[in-house]
Amino acid sequence: PVFKIQILVSRGQLKNDDSHFNGLTDISSYTENGMTKYTYGASSNYNEIYRLRKQILDKFPGAFIIAFKNGAKMDVNTAIKEFKANR
């Protein structure tokens, strides 16, 4: 699985330099239920993404970790179990 940090949700597409990103770059997005959801960071190492989330919590207090497998969103707890099993 690939872990990412979800930081924002928007009804429309935001530009990469939008002020809502608080200066973060390398933002990715995906669409779910008609909403554009923005993520920061991407790693198959859960611990790496956990530490990265702690670094941006002052800018994005509601940021949380999500997971994808083969391009599809998956349950993050299942992804963490897979990560631990494959270490």
Side-chain angles (χ1 to χ4, degrees):
V2 175
F3 298 96
K4 298 181 177 193
I5 305 162
Q6 185 169 313
I7 56 170
L8 274 180
V9 177
S10 170
R11 289 191 187 279
Q13 193 76 26
L14 299 175
K15 292 183 179 163
N16 290 343
D17 59 354
D18 193 285
S19 62
H20 287 92
F21 296 134
N22 291 330
L24 291 183
T25 55
D26 295 329
I27 303 291
S28 299
S29 66
Y30 68 100
T31 304
E32 184 179 64
N33 301 326
M35 302 292 276
T36 304
K37 300 187 177 188
Y38 294 91
T39 63
Y40 178 67
S43 177
S44 57
N45 184 328
Y46 174 77
N47 298 321
E48 201 174 284
I49 288 297
Y50 181 83
R51 285 190 295 271
L52 186 61
R53 179 183 163 269
K54 286 179 89 169
Q55 291 172 16
I56 64 164
L57 274 179
D58 56 332
K59 293 180 181 184
F60 298 96
F64 59 95
I65 297 172
I66 59 173
F68 290 85
K69 188 170 184 178
N70 301 324
K73 192 173 172 193
M74 69 180 291
D75 177 73
V76 73
N77 293 316
T78 303
I80 291 168
K81 285 177 188 165
E82 267 189 47
F83 164 70
K84 288 179 177 177
N86 293 331
R87 290 200 324 177

